[in-house]
Amino acid sequence: MPNLLGETSGLMAFVRTAEAGSFSAAARDLNTTPSAISKSVARLERKIGTRLFLRSTRALTLTQDGQAFFERVAPLLRDLNSSDEVIMSRTGAAGRLRVSMPGELAPLLLPAVFTDFAAAHPELHLDVGLTDRFVNLIKEDYDVVLRVGYPTQGDLMVRHLADLPLVVVASPFFLRRWGSQASAEALAGLPFARFALDGMVAPVRLGDGTSFIPSGRVDCDSGFAMIQAAQSGLGAAYLLRCLVAAELKSGTLVDLAPMVALPKLPFNALHAFGRTPPLRVRLFCDFVAEAAKAIAIM
């Protein structure tokens, strides 16, 4: 295996090209020329004895070897790039903190992030993205990603923040028509406003580990849409309780199955910095972990 300790420039060129999608974009990021980036990557390919990119006039894509190499090298370079925080931590976190979180949880988390957390760390530049899709944390250059559910993204480090309860809700009109449900079997017979992505309907999972695919004539790709459909009486909705806490309190939605045991979903922070995340990531995860305690009991 070749010694790559002297190939820092080539490794940086390769990783930035993979992240940016082209030699010219990587060159802009690294303040050099596309030709220099291309030559650095070609030298690295010769060094390790394999092609990292498939090149054409229209596209630049990673080979299978290139993807595997990228997933191994990119976190190491990110860790190296943030190593100065070992010294900077004496005075506080600084630099850019790029975060992704689900859009539905943003109203519950961002007010505190943009006030308390931002005020406590004035040298941080916050870059926040809201999406429910599973972003490619490394390729899209996120420092930390907040997600609800069970992580499946390779070798990423996972920090458990909280367990969030689920609930089945419906409108008072729906409750009067269908009644409160005291069993899983009765619940499975109800029409639902269903969560569906790419034509796949998400199951309703129960506390005993069983599940069922709900029926219904309304499919939604966001919790917000499911809440609106449930309030309109078009079906029951299976959601995180924290998303409908205000509606449950006001009575515009009701707990349709208080006697049916439902699971809790883990709320996690994921990053690619290995066991030594930079200070900005540690501080942010600490802050969100505290905020998640309040969300979990809504």
Side-chain angles (χ1 to χ4, degrees):
M1 188 69 185
N3 188 329
L4 299 180
L5 293 178
E7 292 295 328
T8 304
S9 60
L11 293 170
M12 286 294 298
F14 162 67
V15 168
R16 288 308 299 142
T17 299
E19 291 173 339
S22 70
F23 291 138
S24 57
R28 287 193 296 271
D29 288 345
L30 296 175
N31 196 29
T32 186
T33 65
S35 175
I37 294 292
S38 178
K39 289 177 181 178
S40 292
V41 171
R43 185 174 63 251
L44 180 62
E45 288 176 323
R46 290 193 298 271
K47 182 84 171 181
I48 63 178
T50 189
R51 295 192 67 180
L52 298 172
F53 291 105
L54 294 175
R55 300 164 174 82
S56 71
T57 56
R58 293 187 177 182
L60 186 71
T61 58
L62 286 167
T63 64
Q64 185 175 350
D65 287 341
Q67 182 64 40
F69 191 62
F70 174 80
E71 291 174 359
R72 180 65 181 272
V73 169
L76 298 176
L77 289 181
R78 286 162 61 88
D79 200 16
L80 179 63
N81 191 51
S82 63
S83 60
D84 61 340
E85 290 199 10
V86 173
I87 299 173
M88 293 172 61
S89 63
R90 299 172 186 171
T91 57
R96 186 207 66 169
L97 177 66
R98 182 164 162 80
V99 177
S100 173
M101 69 177 66
E104 271 87 12
L105 288 182
L108 302 177
L109 294 173
L110 284 185
V113 169
F114 287 155
T115 53
D116 299 340
F117 183 76
H121 307 288
E123 298 302 314
L124 275 179
H125 175 89
L126 299 176
D127 183 349
V128 180
L130 305 181
T131 180
D132 293 323
R133 70 181 177 87
F134 288 95
V135 300
N136 188 319
L137 190 147
I138 296 174
K139 192 168 185 178
E140 297 181 57
D141 197 23
Y142 282 100
D143 291 306
V144 62
V145 172
L146 303 179
R147 284 293 175 267
V148 177
Y150 298 94
T152 58
Q153 291 186 294
D155 296 328
L156 297 178
M157 300 301 295
V158 179
R159 175 171 172 180
H160 180 254
L161 303 173
D163 290 309
L164 303 182
L166 290 155
V167 67
V168 177
V169 296
S171 69
F173 167 80
F174 189 95
L175 178 66
R176 289 193 295 271
R177 178 178 179 184
W178 293 92
S180 181
Q181 306 302 304
S183 70
E185 292 76 14
L187 199 62
L190 297 179
F192 273 75
R194 310 184 302 178
F195 182 73
L197 284 178
D198 300 323
M200 298 291 292
V201 176
V204 173
R205 302 191 185 278
L206 306 172
D208 62 3
T210 62
S211 64
F212 64 87
I213 300 297
S215 61
R217 64 188 183 97
V218 179
D219 289 345
C220 309
D221 67 356
S222 73
F224 176 78
M226 293 169 68
I227 292 169
Q228 298 303 308
Q231 287 180 318
S232 299
L234 294 177
Y238 175 68
L239 295 155
L240 292 172
R241 178 176 283 273
C242 62
L243 300 183
V244 290
E247 288 80 3
L248 288 170
K249 185 175 181 179
S250 69
T252 58
L253 290 174
V254 295
D255 186 342
L256 194 62
M259 302 304 292
V260 178
L262 298 175
K264 295 180 179 181
L265 287 181
F267 180 40
N268 298 313
L270 291 78
H271 66 78
F273 291 104
R275 298 189 180 278
T276 57
L279 180 65
R280 63 185 186 277
V281 171
R282 296 199 307 273
L283 291 173
F284 180 76
C285 290
D286 289 344
F287 182 87
V288 175
E290 286 298 315
K293 292 179 181 178
I295 294 175
I297 61 174
M298 282 183 166

